[in-house]
Amino acid sequence: MKKIVLILNMLFVLFGFSTAFAENSAWKNPGYDFSQLKTVYVEPEIIYAPGCSIGELELYKNLVTLDEERDRLDEFELVDDASLADAVITVNVTSWNIKETYVPTKVYTKEANIEYIDTDGSTTYEPVTFELYTEEHYTYEQYFTAEFTVTDKAGNVVYKKIEKREASKDTFAMFGRAIKDFYDDFDEVKEDYIKEQKKKNK
């Protein structure tokens, strides 16, 4: 007589996995002398488009992050007066919201083996087919699009980066990473420019 040592449920409820999406594009003035940018002023106010849905706490936290992470600009001297700056950084958020998506019930099958052990100790396997399903539900993705712009004293745009991010997580955390990435990238633009000029002058 066979003794079943492993019993598998015939029905499973599977939950969806969280997803994330990020896209960015950057532009720099190809003929600009970035070495002349010594001082930088970061505009302390973030401009939000009318359609953005953002709470007061997030508004405050975004401003704090924008200010605290300025120190990542190692190649520049930070100033608190725009009239004293060689370049001014501004941030415009064109979208900030939550996207709701309906996911219908999905039923599918999966094959597996059930293990049996006989009373004499021998093992056999029986193939079975399981029915699996995901229940109908809604997913909520938080997203934003932000434009980081750098202009010089003459008002010319010398560098610009657009960040689009979407995930089932805190929008503030995503925005914080976008701010850090922008500071790092702009800092690298000047650093790379100086390195290139040194190579040309050798």
Side-chain angles (χ1 to χ4, degrees):
M1 182 176 178
K2 294 182 179 180
K3 178 182 178 183
I4 301 176
V5 297
L6 179 63
I7 300 177
L8 300 178
N9 291 328
M10 299 297 290
L11 206 58
F12 295 89
V13 177
L14 303 180
F15 297 94
F17 296 97
S18 61
T19 58
F21 167 82
E23 179 183 29
N24 67 74
S25 60
W27 174 88
K28 66 178 179 180
N29 186 328
Y32 196 79
D33 179 5
F34 286 92
S35 66
Q36 68 181 325
L37 300 181
K38 308 293 185 182
T39 56
V40 169
Y41 173 77
V42 179
E43 176 60 49
E45 295 296 327
I46 299 174
I47 306 301
Y48 294 87
C52 294
S53 178
I54 181 170
E56 292 294 329
L57 180 59
E58 287 180 314
L59 287 171
Y60 171 74
K61 290 164 65 178
N62 287 346
L63 292 178
V64 170
T65 302
L66 184 68
D67 179 67
E68 290 183 344
E69 297 298 334
R70 295 187 309 163
D71 292 339
R72 304 178 82 92
L73 295 169
D74 297 326
E75 296 291 324
F76 305 91
E77 177 187 350
L78 298 170
V79 295
D80 295 324
D81 187 340
S83 65
L84 302 176
D86 297 322
V88 175
I89 294 173
T90 56
V91 183
N92 288 270
V93 177
T94 57
S95 66
W96 184 293
N97 221 313
I98 298 176
K99 179 175 67 176
E100 179 184 79
T101 304
Y102 171 72
V103 181
T105 298
K106 181 180 179 181
V107 180
Y108 53 100
T109 59
K110 183 177 180 64
E111 294 184 353
N113 291 316
I114 293 182
E115 180 186 57
Y116 295 91
I117 296 180
D118 290 341
T119 53
D120 62 0
S122 61
T123 302
T124 58
Y125 297 91
E126 179 181 328
V128 293
T129 299
F130 296 98
E131 183 181 75
L132 299 93
Y133 73 93
T134 56
E135 292 184 329
E136 63 175 356
H137 61 282
Y138 286 92
T139 60
Y140 299 90
E141 302 290 332
Q142 302 184 56
Y143 65 90
F144 74 84
T145 301
E147 298 179 356
F148 299 86
T149 306
V150 182
T151 56
D152 64 8
K153 284 184 175 181
N156 300 312
V157 176
V158 298
Y159 182 73
K160 187 169 187 176
K161 184 178 183 183
I162 299 176
E163 283 273 6
K164 297 180 181 180
R165 302 199 182 195
E166 177 181 314
S168 55
K169 61 180 70 174
D170 183 13
T171 316
F172 162 72
M174 290 192 292
F175 190 65
R177 288 191 293 275
I179 291 174
K180 294 176 185 178
D181 290 345
F182 164 74
Y183 283 147
D184 289 344
D185 291 347
F186 180 51
D187 205 57
E188 188 175 336
V189 166
K190 180 179 177 180
E191 185 179 6
D192 289 346
Y193 178 84
I194 293 175
K195 287 180 180 178
E196 290 174 4
Q197 294 307 306
K198 287 182 178 180
K199 288 181 181 179
K200 291 180 180 179
N201 295 329
K202 282 185 177 180

